[in-house]
Amino acid sequence: IVSIASHSIYEASKIDEHGNIFLVIHGFASLFLPEIIDKHINELSGIILLNPAWEAVPGSGLQNMSPEKIPHKLPFLIIGCGNDQVLIKDHFDTWKLNVPEADSFWFEDCDHFMMNAKSIPQEETYMKTEGHVNEKLMRQIITWIRDHSTIQ
């Protein structure tokens, strides 16, 4: 995840007409935030966390997030969804508590993929539903990026 993010940031910065670069991380990838930021803090204009995990799955080899690992030098947007099987409300609240300067929004009726969902997707339907990212959620992200861009 760190190498993919690094490559993406590097390639984006090579585009002559590139504007600001925002890091968008989803789910358990948020646990790699410290390593990515250590490499690229000067190239990024902000961080967007979509359904971020605070704790690693036991036995996964991943490290839990902790307050001292959070880079407070960049603007943050934290998006959480109520029908996500990865992010639970407690983790969303923990992120908000530890990044009090962040803008944060909770979308109760969206799932892990930020699509409309009346309940948490079950194994038999998980990733088998066609749909689109919730429009209000997507507009919130777009507005936040525009508000935090220094290059238009």
Side-chain angles (χ1 to χ4, degrees):
I1 294 198
V2 175
S3 62
I4 291 169
S6 293
H7 178 74
S8 298
I9 293 166
Y10 172 74
E11 290 298 323
S13 66
K14 287 185 357 185
I15 300 169
D16 289 336
E17 61 274 355
H18 87 281
N20 297 91
I21 299 173
F22 292 86
L23 178 65
V24 181
I25 324 181
H26 183 246
F28 287 109
S30 61
L31 300 176
F32 293 94
L33 182 63
E35 292 91 340
I36 296 168
I37 296 304
D38 282 349
K39 289 183 168 195
H40 300 286
I41 192 151
N42 295 323
E43 297 146 280
L44 296 171
S45 297
I47 300 165
I48 301 168
L49 302 176
L50 305 171
N51 291 322
W54 185 264
E55 296 175 358
V57 173
S60 68
L62 298 175
Q63 299 293 313
N64 291 342
M65 184 53 70
S66 61
E68 63 275 359
K69 293 180 182 179
I70 296 171
H72 293 276
K73 295 179 176 127
L74 291 169
F76 270 84
L77 172 62
I78 304 169
I79 299 283
C81 296
N83 289 317
D84 182 8
Q85 63 275 50
V86 174
L87 174 77
I88 58 172
K89 185 74 164 85
D90 289 351
H91 289 200
F92 179 77
D93 292 339
T94 301
W95 273 103
K96 284 178 37 178
L97 177 70
N98 287 285
V99 191
E101 70 277 16
D103 294 310
S104 59
F105 298 92
W106 182 258
F107 291 85
E108 185 62 39
D109 294 325
C110 290
D111 66 8
H112 183 67
F113 298 110
M114 295 151 292
M115 295 190 299
N116 294 329
K118 294 185 187 310
S119 61
I120 295 174
Q122 301 304 305
E123 185 176 338
E124 59 275 0
T125 59
Y126 185 70
M127 294 182 62
K128 295 178 183 169
T129 304
E130 289 188 31
H132 299 281
V133 172
N134 176 282
E135 185 175 346
K136 185 176 178 186
L137 186 153
M138 184 56 72
R139 288 190 186 284
Q140 190 65 57
I141 294 169
I142 293 166
T143 299
W144 188 88
I145 288 173
R146 283 186 183 148
D147 290 348
H148 290 84
S149 293
T150 57
I151 303 169
Q152 299 296 322

